[in-house]
Amino acid sequence: MQYALIISETPEGFADRTNAQAGEYWGGWTAYSRAIVESGIFAGGAGLEPPETAARVVFDGASKTVQDGPYPDARERLGGFFLVEVDSLDDALAWAKRCPITKGGSVEVRPVLPTPPQAG
Amino acid sequence: MPKVDDIARRHYGRLLAWLAAGFRDVAAAEDALQDAFAAALRRWPSEGLPNHPEAWLLATAKRRLLDRLRQRKVSDAFADDLRHTLTEAEDAVTWTFPDDRLKLMFVCAHPEIEAALHAPLMLQTVLGLDSRRIADAFVVSPSAMSQRLVRVKAKIAAAALAFEIPEREALPRRLDSVLQAIYAAYTSAWTTTPDAQTRGLAGEAAYLTQLCVDLSPGEPEALGLLALIQFCDARAAARFAVDGAYIPMDEQDVTLWDRGLIAQAEATLDLASRNLTLGRYQLEAAIQSAHISARRRGVPPSAVLPLYRALVSLHPSLGAWTGYAAALVQAGEIQAAKQVLDDLGEDRMRLYQPWWAVMAEVATQLGDTASALRAYDMAEGLEDATAVKAWLRQRRSRLLQ
């Protein structure tokens, strides 16, 4: 089964990407990615630039407006995600627990939706 | 007045074990006992603490179970038998109920029950831990853990698994399942949690082991596991620095080790060895003892090797072999260590963090930097504990200087 590991980090976590802790930050994620790939479970994923680089389209009734990031609605922000092919939710959670997050955050584990039935 | 919580902690397992053994249904006994505790919470604060809280709880839970019996219309003989047994507890003044917790543990670790659920089930039934905390410790979703425990209790009732101490010949094997479950819970808590406050289930696992020893005195492997846990606990304060950094055994400050507990562990191990039946837990405890002597008294690290050889011949688990390789590294026998790791094989060990950690050290010492970098990455990527991850990264960075 495929699961998404949706990784959220705090502003302090994002700061570690470029400050004096950058070596450890990237070292941790490189090791983690390597373990995922070499274990043969990697099915996709990407790290994401910080939320300040984002823009989003908000759908509200008939109107569609464009906003620049970051958005004030949450302290934790999406930092990246993996798609992994594992046997069970337990296995996916075990991988989530290994994420090198050191400044707070979360890893949401969600099953990937199966392909919807073809219409007609 | 003592809190109901404290009484629950002290008596929960014994009360549940006794009710479940009589009723042969863990889930029904749990429900009845929870009702009894709820009634206690409601009534004791205003009515005062009964003289024998545990007898009060037992009598209250018993009434619930008898109600259930009536609804179920179970066979008369069984109901009479149960009524008779339960009556002994009614309005007890001096009567103390027997300790059936070992029977409960044997049921929890019954061969009919999936091995991965042995420890969670014991933690819930014997210690009364809630499924949320158990789920945390075993890295499983709380709803999944709770469902699994409900299902397995239904199975215990449906299959009418016997609540009994196994016959003499079967005892060591059945006890081994109990000890294995406790060992798994202890080691996972020990390896992943950084300090005394958040040691997770290590304390509970130690308590269960002590219980096994108390309830089956003289069983050498129960004593062996207890000694092993005591040796490990004795070093707990030295495993992490004040800032939370991980400190491996050969760099720990020996003065932080608990000498009293080490002496206790030695005595436990000595007691175990009197039975003259060697087993894996006694050997693992002896290995810990040798490691500790090596640090405290300058015994050469190679002294531990014969113990590891005995362990891998008696109990050739992947963990034992990997431990043997690590011991060979410490004794300076790098080529021999590499041979052990290569024989285990990367394919089989791909997800086993300790294998990679030892491989990283071996490759480093053999001057194979590329393999060492890769092995450190794998060891770090597969590790849970943040402090150990950081330590591995630091070791890795020394290769690049």
Side-chain angles (χ1 to χ4, degrees):
Chain A
M1 286 184 74
Q2 280 196 4
Y3 289 86
L5 308 183
I6 302 157
I7 295 150
S8 296
E9 295 171 274
T10 57
E12 294 77 17
F14 278 103
D16 281 354
R17 292 179 174 194
T18 50
N19 64 19
Q21 262 79 57
E24 288 171 36
Y25 179 94
W26 294 113
W29 284 105
T30 304
Y32 182 71
S33 310
R34 185 168 204 169
I36 285 199
V37 170
E38 294 215 12
S39 302
I41 61 164
F42 180 78
L48 299 175
E49 292 286 353
E52 298 79 44
T53 61
R56 67 177 173 186
V57 178
V58 179
F59 291 72
D60 182 9
S63 80
K64 299 172 188 180
T65 52
V66 181
Q67 295 175 352
D68 279 323
Y71 315 104
D73 46 5
R75 182 169 148 75
E76 288 178 14
R77 306 282 168 65
L78 188 61
F81 67 95
F82 283 94
L83 287 180
V84 294
E85 179 77 46
V86 291
D87 290 340
S88 66
L89 176 62
D90 292 357
D91 289 349
L93 285 169
W95 278 102
K97 204 178 171 205
R98 295 175 184 139
C99 273
I101 293 174
T102 57
K103 298 285 168 70
S106 64
V107 181
E108 183 171 331
V109 178
R110 276 227 227 160
V112 168
L113 198 59
T115 312
Q118 295 297 312
Chain B
M1 172 168 155
K3 289 196 179 114
V4 176
D5 282 1
D6 295 339
I7 290 170
R9 178 153 177 85
R10 262 207 323 277
H11 297 294
Y12 184 88
R14 284 188 66 175
L15 288 165
L16 182 70
W18 195 83
L19 290 164
F23 202 63
R24 299 190 170 234
D25 182 337
V26 174
E30 275 180 336
D31 285 348
L33 192 55
Q34 264 148 28
D35 283 349
F37 274 112
L41 272 173
R42 268 195 321 274
R43 292 173 48 186
W44 292 358
S46 57
E47 296 173 17
L49 194 69
N51 287 336
H52 297 278
E54 72 280 6
W56 189 97
L57 288 163
L58 200 56
T60 309
K62 174 204 134 177
R63 276 191 287 277
R64 301 275 172 197
L65 280 177
L66 285 176
D67 287 347
R68 253 184 113 114
L69 266 184
R70 263 173 233 122
Q71 286 161 13
R72 271 199 202 167
K73 301 192 174 67
V74 288
S75 81
D76 286 346
F78 178 60
D80 286 346
D81 187 36
L82 182 62
R83 271 187 207 100
H84 175 74
T85 329
L86 287 171
T87 305
E88 294 175 32
E90 187 95 85
D91 304 322
V93 180
T94 54
W95 183 77
T96 51
F97 58 100
D99 193 339
D100 280 343
R101 284 178 294 182
L102 192 60
K103 288 184 190 169
L104 185 58
M105 284 197 262
F106 279 121
V107 167
C108 291
H110 197 280
E112 295 269 318
I113 293 171
E114 191 193 333
L117 286 174
H118 290 174
L121 199 54
M122 274 187 236
L123 291 164
Q124 182 161 75
T125 56
V126 181
L127 298 181
L129 295 194
D130 69 46
S131 55
R132 196 178 169 85
R133 170 120 196 267
I134 297 169
D136 252 357
F138 291 89
V139 200
V140 169
S141 95
S143 61
M145 178 55 82
S146 153
Q147 277 165 21
R148 280 171 213 175
L149 290 171
V150 167
R151 270 202 299 272
V152 79
K153 283 176 222 160
K155 184 172 181 174
I156 291 172
L161 298 184
F163 282 76
E164 63 193 10
I165 307 292
E167 294 294 323
R168 191 145 195 85
E169 317 86 79
L171 185 70
R173 191 168 38 83
R174 292 289 303 280
L175 186 65
D176 187 53
S177 315
V178 171
L179 298 177
Q180 239 177 58
I182 298 173
Y183 176 82
Y186 182 81
T187 47
S188 81
W190 167 258
T191 50
T192 59
T193 46
D195 59 58
Q197 270 82 42
T198 57
R199 292 253 337 266
L201 296 178
E204 272 83 359
Y207 182 86
L208 286 175
T209 313
Q210 181 70 58
L211 203 57
C212 285
V213 167
D214 294 346
L215 298 175
S216 60
E219 276 303 321
E221 280 295 87
L223 285 162
L225 181 58
L226 183 62
L228 174 61
I229 287 177
Q230 287 169 334
F231 278 125
C232 292
D233 280 347
R235 295 193 292 103
R239 294 177 68 223
F240 296 92
V242 181
D243 64 0
Y246 170 69
I247 306 172
M249 183 162 184
D250 53 356
E251 292 167 22
Q252 285 168 12
D253 177 356
V254 181
T255 62
L256 293 176
W257 291 355
D258 183 336
R259 300 173 67 159
L261 198 50
I262 291 172
Q264 227 177 307
E266 296 289 359
T268 310
L269 186 56
D270 183 52
L271 208 57
S273 66
R274 283 183 202 176
N275 194 291
L276 301 178
T277 314
L278 200 54
R280 66 173 287 211
Y281 298 117
Q282 292 170 76
L283 278 167
E284 288 198 38
I287 285 167
Q288 285 298 318
S289 169
H291 279 311
I292 285 173
S293 303
R295 281 297 315 280
R296 282 166 87 194
R297 292 200 282 277
V299 178
S302 58
V304 82
L305 294 177
L307 292 170
Y308 265 113
R309 287 192 196 105
L311 179 63
V312 294
S313 68
L314 190 73
H315 184 81
S317 69
L318 302 180
W321 278 109
T322 308
Y324 179 42
L328 285 166
V329 172
Q330 282 195 321
E333 298 186 32
I334 310 301
Q335 285 296 350
K338 179 150 189 352
Q339 193 58 53
V340 170
L341 294 177
D342 287 345
D343 288 347
L344 287 168
E346 185 183 312
D347 275 350
R348 195 156 47 130
M349 306 306 277
R350 195 172 294 273
L351 288 174
Y352 192 63
Q353 194 274 348
W355 186 88
W356 289 104
V358 181
M359 185 53 111
E361 192 56 39
V362 165
T364 301
Q365 297 215 20
L366 292 175
D368 182 354
T369 307
S371 299
L373 289 172
R374 171 164 176 263
Y376 273 121
D377 274 349
M378 290 300 287
E380 186 188 332
L382 289 167
E383 174 61 49
D384 280 4
T386 303
V388 179
K389 277 179 182 289
W391 181 79
L392 288 163
R393 197 172 317 132
Q394 213 184 339
R395 301 281 294 183
R396 183 185 190 278
S397 68
R398 301 202 307 201
L399 291 168
L400 302 170
Q401 279 158 11

